[in-house]
Amino acid sequence: MHGLHLTADLHDCQCGPQWLIDGPALGAVCIKAVSAAGLQAVGKIVHSFPATPQGPGGVTATVLLAESHLCIHTWPEQRGVTLDVYVCNFGGDHSAKAHALMECLISVFQPRHSERNELRRGQIAA
């Protein structure tokens, strides 16, 4: 059950507003990024939240991967995004693909500042 879990908190994103508020557009770019990274999408759920007094609602996009998952949450009123990429490394090391997916998505949002974390999960059986 070993794998790699990457997270990123993106602040002051300079991307076009569609990437923060347009669920179908964000879902499509997620699928494209997954494929470009060499991972396999097996399902997708995208939920757009209603507008609030602070502005347009954000989006949560989740892509179920054969290798595990991708999840994105946007906060357009803060121009913020959280990214979560987890890949299982059972049967092969997908770590480079996880990093490629994360880099692709970060480039979409164009943050001025980001905080990234990397967690190695589980143990490799000897």
Side-chain angles (χ1 to χ4, degrees):
M1 69 177 201
H2 62 286
L4 177 65
H5 197 156
L6 304 174
T7 65
D9 299 336
L10 311 181
H11 305 277
D12 197 16
C13 294
Q14 301 301 297
C15 60
Q18 74 273 19
W19 304 124
L20 300 173
I21 63 174
D22 185 336
L26 183 56
V29 82
C30 286
I31 295 297
K32 207 180 229 184
V34 163
S35 178
L39 297 166
Q40 181 183 354
V42 296
K44 174 182 77 169
I45 297 174
V46 178
H47 178 78
S48 298
F49 292 90
T52 69
Q54 289 76 36
V59 176
T60 292
T62 301
V63 179
L64 180 64
L65 306 174
E67 301 83 5
S68 199
H69 72 264
L70 156 68
C71 193
I72 298 177
H73 304 282
T74 72
W75 285 269
E77 72 280 5
Q78 298 177 25
R79 299 204 63 81
V81 174
T82 60
L83 302 174
D84 186 289
V85 174
Y86 176 55
V87 293
C88 299
N89 285 332
F90 181 78
D93 187 352
H94 302 288
S95 299
K97 295 175 183 178
H99 283 287
L101 176 57
M102 183 64 82
E103 293 306 318
C104 180
L105 292 169
I106 289 172
S107 73
V108 167
F109 294 107
Q110 303 170 21
R112 286 204 174 149
H113 173 70
S114 66
E115 299 158 10
R116 300 183 194 195
N117 294 289
E118 181 173 318
L119 175 63
R120 302 258 173 214
R121 299 184 68 175
Q123 298 293 325
I124 298 174

